[in-house]
Amino acid sequence: MLNPFRSWIAGDAWELPEADVGDIGMQAFDACRRAIEATLAGQGTAAVLVRGAPGSGKTHLMRRLRAYLVRSPDERMRETLFVYIRLSTTANMIWRHLRRRIADDLMRAAADGSMQLERLLYRVLASPGSHGSLLDRCRQEWPSGLPWNERAFARALGVMLRSLPESSLASLTLFDSLDGETGLSPALGQILRRLAQRQDLVLVRAWLRGDSLTAADLDRLGIAEDATQESEPEYAAREMVLMLARLAGARMPMVLCFDQIEALETTPGDLSGFLAFGGAVSTLHDETTNLVLISCMQSSVEPMFRRADFDRIAEHQALLPLLGRRDAMRLIQARIEAAGHGLVWPPPAEFETVFNAEGLASARNVLAKAAELFDRERRTGARPPIPLDSFLRQEWESRMDAAVESISQGDVDEVLAQGIPALLGAASRGKWKGGTGKGDIDFRLESPAGQIDLSLCNQRNMNSLAARLRRLGGSTRNAPAARLVLLRDPRLAVSRNARATRGYLDDLTRAGARVVRPSIEALQALEALRSLLADARSGDLTQDGAAISPQTVQDWIAQSMPSSLQHLVENIAGPEPDSPVNPQLREDLLALVQERCLITLDDAARETRQNASLVRQTVRASGDFAGLLEGPPALLYRLVPTARS
């Protein structure tokens, strides 16, 4: 029988709430609900600060709020857009992080296959200012004698469009102009046309997220390259977030739930993440009229914000209190009933150890104790305590599996920007410290031995990559003191036809820059590391209800570092290898493997005009881009992220 108390951490607001006791945390829930109602009533953007100790149920509250919106009898509430954002990012990527998470949730498919952004688009199309031959004809065919109902027309449009086959949708010109289009960029207008036709949805999502797209992909979408996206990515992301808010307008307010704010303190005492987040919330509060900004945090981080920013974050405040004995027992009973167990439960006296001197305890500690007692009852004896090392190893393996999706979804920049400083800090026992970069230097590492500047070069678009490499070449000539490391996803080849890009890359490597391509396994490990640390900083990494500190996690990583991360540390901070891999051959082989997926060693040698032994040596020396099966015949194959079996 499964233990109904083991899943006491609510990891995601999109999951269904478990065994909810409605009046626990009702004051905080009502504050959020009233803020949404105020925005719906046209009173402008509202902000709510939800305070609570670790384990008090902040994420669970967001789950409850989302479930309430879905089931509300008020149609305006049901239409409210919902976005959940864990703040696992860095100070100089805050707007890009918000853009990615907003795009992901607006494009998240519901049970019926619809998406929030799609429903929003239908409402915009149903508005009086949207026109087009097909759209206007649909309006004219609205049954005569019925009062005009924008919501009903939007639903009818959705039913009609989703019922059409893709071939018919692709040939439709549904609209020529959108209501409020003057506040949108031409590129976003074109993206909405592709969305209405349900065409190229993978590319639509990638563009909305701000991912780098190839020239061919942009041409398919009918969008021109945007130089601002590459040269000023934070500004471009900020403008996209504001445009999406304007698109929603007063029709469908958007709730943005910010969680794990404590994780912004990537190194002890560093306030840059809080300052960046506070500035972003102030901008959203002051420059929009239809958002509800809900921030969940512990009271301890309040002094880390600017006063003006915090005043906006905490426009309305609510507290998630700890539980008294009565509510603790009610929560336990709700879990038992939801699981369908006919348990004769131990007396309340068994729980006395979890309550403090005031008779209060967090929901997490109550459920952890209940899990312990459940195991004792079912097994007629207490479960032997799991050593901390074993617990962290189990967590690590679980998060390595979960990282497969994150890596596949394209969040590699954030994984590298957060993960590498944490990794080098742990590996060097604090000698290497992370710092904020500037311009094309995304972040830097500093130690008594010197400085390393790191640039994220994960552009799929060769023009964008060439522009960044050209700028980096100029900056290194002006400031050659620091070592320059270029980080690139091992799955992204530099096209053999991208001669200018390869030329700039060669110039940089000759000048001493290193090109480091972390292996896919290393990317998954970095994601697992930053996930563990974010939970530890937020008080959400617990063993039997007891919090595990970030320092404990870093110490464990230093002692138990997998070989993939050791190799990455060496590539970034270690001495230059005696026999470096030929970068041109490596790029040629990567391009071949990405294009073919599987190719014989002899064919690869023939197409790159190299001998087979050199090709084999290159793959073995840099096994982060292709696998090698010796055969016969010997085969090269493309590597993809996979969960452990």
Side-chain angles (χ1 to χ4, degrees), residues 462-596:
M462 290 298 105
N463 292 332
S464 297
L465 179 58
R468 168 163 282 220
L469 296 176
R470 182 180 66 250
R471 292 192 300 269
L472 284 168
S475 63
T476 53
R477 284 192 295 272
N478 296 330
R483 175 191 297 177
L484 176 63
V485 172
L486 312 179
L487 296 166
R488 188 160 174 83
D489 189 319
R491 298 161 295 180
L492 299 180
V494 177
S495 167
R496 284 184 283 182
N497 297 324
R499 295 184 178 86
T501 306
R502 288 196 171 198
Y504 293 132
L505 197 57
D506 285 346
D507 291 343
L508 283 166
T509 54
R510 280 196 296 268
R514 290 190 189 183
V515 179
V516 174
R517 290 179 175 268
S519 67
I520 291 176
E521 184 180 356
L523 290 177
Q524 290 176 238
L526 285 174
E527 172 63 9
L529 173 58
R530 79 179 188 126
S531 168
L532 275 172
L533 285 171
D535 282 357
R537 293 180 188 120
S538 304
D540 290 336
L541 183 64
T542 63
Q543 182 182 16
D544 296 329
I548 298 172
S549 71
Q551 188 59 53
T552 300
V553 173
Q554 289 185 311
D555 291 343
W556 181 82
I557 287 292
Q559 296 167 5
S560 311
M561 190 175 296
S563 59
S564 62
L565 292 184
Q566 292 174 3
H567 184 60
L568 179 57
V569 170
E570 276 297 309
N571 283 343
I572 293 173
E576 194 72 37
D578 294 333
S579 53
V581 172
N582 182 320
Q584 290 280 11
L585 176 56
R586 189 195 183 290
E587 293 299 333
D588 288 344
L589 292 171
L590 176 58
L592 275 176
V593 170
Q594 291 297 311
E595 179 183 341
R596 308 281 184 84

Side-chain angles (χ1 to χ4, degrees), residues 341-358:
H341 292 309
L343 297 178
V344 178
W345 195 249
E350 295 276 13
F351 290 87
E352 281 304 306
T353 56
V354 304
F355 295 102
N356 62 21
E358 289 76 36

Side-chain angles (χ1 to χ4, degrees), residues 36-80:
I36 297 172
E37 290 173 347
T39 299
L40 280 168
Q43 296 177 24
T45 288
V48 181
L49 169 62
V50 177
R51 299 176 188 267
S56 58
K58 295 185 289 293
T59 308
H60 181 85
L61 178 71
M62 296 303 100
R63 282 186 181 182
R64 183 195 293 179
L65 181 64
R66 190 189 69 82
Y68 167 78
L69 292 173
V70 170
R71 297 192 299 257
S72 174
D74 185 338
E75 188 171 26
R76 298 174 309 154
M77 282 284 192
R78 293 198 303 274
E79 289 180 339
T80 299

Side-chain angles (χ1 to χ4, degrees), residues 81-117:
L81 305 169
F82 183 90
V83 177
Y84 174 73
I85 303 172
R86 274 205 196 101
L87 287 166
S88 52
T89 189
T90 58
N92 61 341
M93 300 182 79
I94 196 79
W95 281 107
R96 280 171 281 180
H97 183 72
L98 299 187
R99 177 179 180 173
R100 289 187 185 105
R101 299 289 79 82
I102 291 171
D104 285 345
D105 278 0
L106 293 185
M107 293 285 290
R108 183 187 292 265
D112 63 356
S114 66
M115 297 170 285
Q116 293 191 98
L117 185 60

